[in-house]
Amino acid sequence: MPAKRPPVPLSRERIIDAALHIADGQGLRRLTMRRLGDALQVEAMAIYHHLPRGKDALMDALAEHVTTVHAEPGESWQESARAWCRASRAALREHPGVLALALTKPPRGRAAIAIREQTDQLADAGLADPAGAVRALRAYVFGAVAVEVQQSGWAEPPGDPDDEDEPWRPPSRGGGSPAADTDFEHGLDALLAGLGAGGASRTR
């Protein structure tokens, strides 16, 4: 008889993964500590050992997870900015269930560090106002993804978030349509051109 596998230890990473699965598959309104505990096969109180502030800490962690993006610097500030925007769009589109958190939660922890990293990349590449550029780029990416998610038909399920029998399945996520990809790139081109025309490069 094969030996019984030991249970997988509970960790912050496991909690976040399970929470993302619920939010993306059922909607953020249905992400409760009880439902999360059931998914992890633990008592809900066990989650508090990793997230002492409970639901508030979980929401912060999910927002941090989907907005922490790194991209390798390019040969120009435009290439660096484009790489970061594409990576950020992909991360947000992968988890539409927590897009509302990404839009409303201020960047903290690793997300704030990633923003500083992006700002430094643009500064090192010669952009005159890298902090302003990062703010504009983030606003564009977040707004573009919000429109994409809205047009895709993804929405929170109606009714009671505790109704287990209510059938609901979100549309597929992750890969953008060709039209959405084209629109995103056109808008990004225009924004980068505007940033370049507004004082862009300083002499190194």
Side-chain angles (χ1 to χ4, degrees), residues 25-189:
Q26 303 180 44
L28 192 61
R29 291 170 61 243
R30 293 191 176 186
L31 175 55
T32 64
M33 300 301 276
R34 177 181 61 81
R35 188 169 282 120
L36 181 56
D38 290 344
L40 292 165
Q41 298 183 324
V42 299
E43 293 293 331
M45 288 305 298
I47 299 171
Y48 287 79
H49 291 296
H50 299 272
L51 298 168
R53 293 188 294 112
K55 188 71 174 288
D56 288 342
L58 178 62
M59 297 298 102
D60 288 343
L62 294 180
E64 180 181 343
H65 181 84
V66 298
T67 57
T68 300
V69 174
H70 301 280
E72 291 297 319
E75 294 184 1
S76 66
W77 70 264
Q78 291 94 335
E79 289 183 8
S80 295
R82 192 180 299 279
W84 180 85
C85 287
R86 288 172 175 169
S88 182
R89 177 190 179 226
L92 292 170
R93 294 185 79 263
E94 182 64 19
H95 298 294
V98 296
L99 179 61
L101 296 176
L103 293 171
T104 57
K105 292 279 187 181
R108 295 190 176 94
R110 293 181 299 116
I113 293 172
I115 290 173
R116 289 197 296 271
E117 179 182 275
Q118 173 67 8
T119 303
D120 291 342
Q121 284 181 2
L122 298 188
D124 291 344
L127 193 63
D129 181 16
V134 168
R135 288 194 296 271
L137 292 165
R138 281 172 54 82
Y140 171 70
V141 172
F142 283 25
V145 173
V147 171
E148 286 185 60
V149 171
Q150 182 186 56
Q151 293 177 342
S152 75
W154 199 103
E156 288 279 0
D160 185 354
D162 291 324
D163 185 357
E164 298 281 2
D165 298 323
E166 184 181 346
W168 179 78
R169 297 185 68 174
S172 61
R173 62 189 190 277
S177 69
D181 294 342
T182 298
D183 289 345
F184 180 82
E185 292 296 331
H186 283 172
L188 183 55
D189 286 342

